[in-house]
Amino acid sequence: MSASKRAAGRAAAERVQNGMVVGLGTGSTVFFTLERLGERITDEGLSISGIPTSLDTATKARAFGIPIVGFEEVGQIDLTIDGADEIDGDYSMIKGGGGALLREKVVASLSKQVVIIVGLDKVVETLGVSFPLPVEYVPFARTPVKRALLALGAEPTLRAGAGGEAYLTDNGNEIFDCAFEGGIADAEALALALAGTPGIVEHGLFLGLADHLVIGHEDGTAEERSKVGSSGR
Ligand code: 5RP
């Protein structure tokens, strides 16, 4: 498992060019991207600015010597590299397994190019069959949001932290992980319904945001695919 993540994460880091503002995703696959970017900064003198999608990524990026900047200091983001929990043939994704979906979506939406790094096990035919959809909401609205999710056909489970308490995101919000029997039939319709539900801050359906896919394999190789017709934003 980690050989495929390492292969994908490191291959994607080779797409970063001197002077770029780079969106830095979150998760165990992105760790290997951060590691390789750190090596390139040391070995090649690569000069980049990183916009992290989580406090965890900011800490790791700094440890690898990647300069971190805020939105005040940059305009558009040139390239974002991030993982995914599931990705289908249209490059629609479920993200948020690591709880960073809100910042990940903000950063991806501001990026000219989004590169997704996964192992082959994350490539699926139908979203939601094997991974529940994370939905981030303000704690005040837990009960009405749960009712709304049930009405949309979801089976929501409150995400728990290490001590069994409700997990809190970097933004102080909670997450329901939502199972859908048989998977998500209409991701566009579901995304619209979730976005229109008061109390929900963000959901883990990332539609139309990925341009390029790097799939890592357990033998240490990585395969690159581009979305047909996508030239970024
Ligand atoms: C975090 C995410 C991650 O990208 C996703 O969970 C994949 O993580 P990993 O690379 O550890 O498998 O969406 O919110």
Side-chain angles (χ1 to χ4, degrees):
M1 183 71 83
S2 81
S4 59
K5 291 186 177 199
R6 185 172 190 273
R10 288 179 70 87
E14 303 305 328
R15 302 180 70 87
V16 174
Q17 293 168 17
N18 216 32
M20 278 186 166
V21 176
V22 184
L24 304 170
T26 293
S28 54
T29 317
V30 164
F31 171 85
F32 294 109
T33 302
L34 301 177
E35 178 186 59
R36 180 66 190 131
L37 288 175
E39 289 171 8
R40 292 190 58 197
I41 288 168
T42 305
D43 300 346
E44 301 166 26
L46 179 74
S47 170
I48 58 169
S49 304
I51 301 245
T53 53
S54 62
L55 302 178
D56 182 59
T57 290
T59 303
K60 288 178 176 142
R62 284 196 186 95
F64 284 122
I66 301 169
I68 296 301
V69 293
F71 289 122
E72 320 73 53
E73 293 152 84
V74 296
Q76 208 169 18
I77 300 168
D78 295 300
L79 175 72
T80 285
I81 302 174
D82 202 353
D85 299 302
E86 286 187 343
I87 183 162
D88 71 10
D90 292 328
Y91 288 21
S92 295
M93 298 179 280
I94 287 181
K95 285 184 50 55
L101 62 157
L102 173 56
R103 297 189 190 196
E104 288 174 335
K105 198 175 279 186
V106 171
V107 168
S109 69
L110 295 170
S111 302
K112 285 192 221 166
Q113 291 273 333
V114 175
V115 177
I116 296 300
I117 49 177
V118 291
L120 195 54
D121 56 310
K122 306 270 189 84
V123 181
V124 300
E125 273 189 28
T126 305
L127 294 177
V129 170
S130 57
F131 201 90
L133 176 69
V135 173
E136 179 168 349
Y137 61 93
V138 294
F140 170 76
R142 186 192 289 177
T143 298
V145 164
K146 182 171 183 178
R147 289 184 187 135
L149 292 170
L150 288 166
L152 288 169
E155 294 166 42
T157 301
L158 180 67
R159 190 177 295 190
E165 73 293 348
Y167 169 88
L168 287 184
T169 68
D170 286 352
N171 318 297
N173 297 317
E174 297 177 355
I175 288 180
F176 276 126
D177 290 304
C178 298
F180 289 87
E181 175 110 38
I184 296 170
D186 186 340
E188 300 276 352
L190 179 59
L192 273 177
L194 293 171
T197 302
I200 291 179
V201 180
E202 196 49 88
H203 57 81
L205 283 170
F206 281 50
L207 310 178
L209 286 171
D211 305 296
H212 195 81
L213 180 59
V214 182
I215 302 173
H217 297 285
E218 279 307 302
D219 65 2
T221 60
E223 173 191 344
E224 309 215 7
R225 299 180 189 169
S226 286
K227 185 174 177 181
V228 178
S230 175
S231 55
R233 281 162 292 278

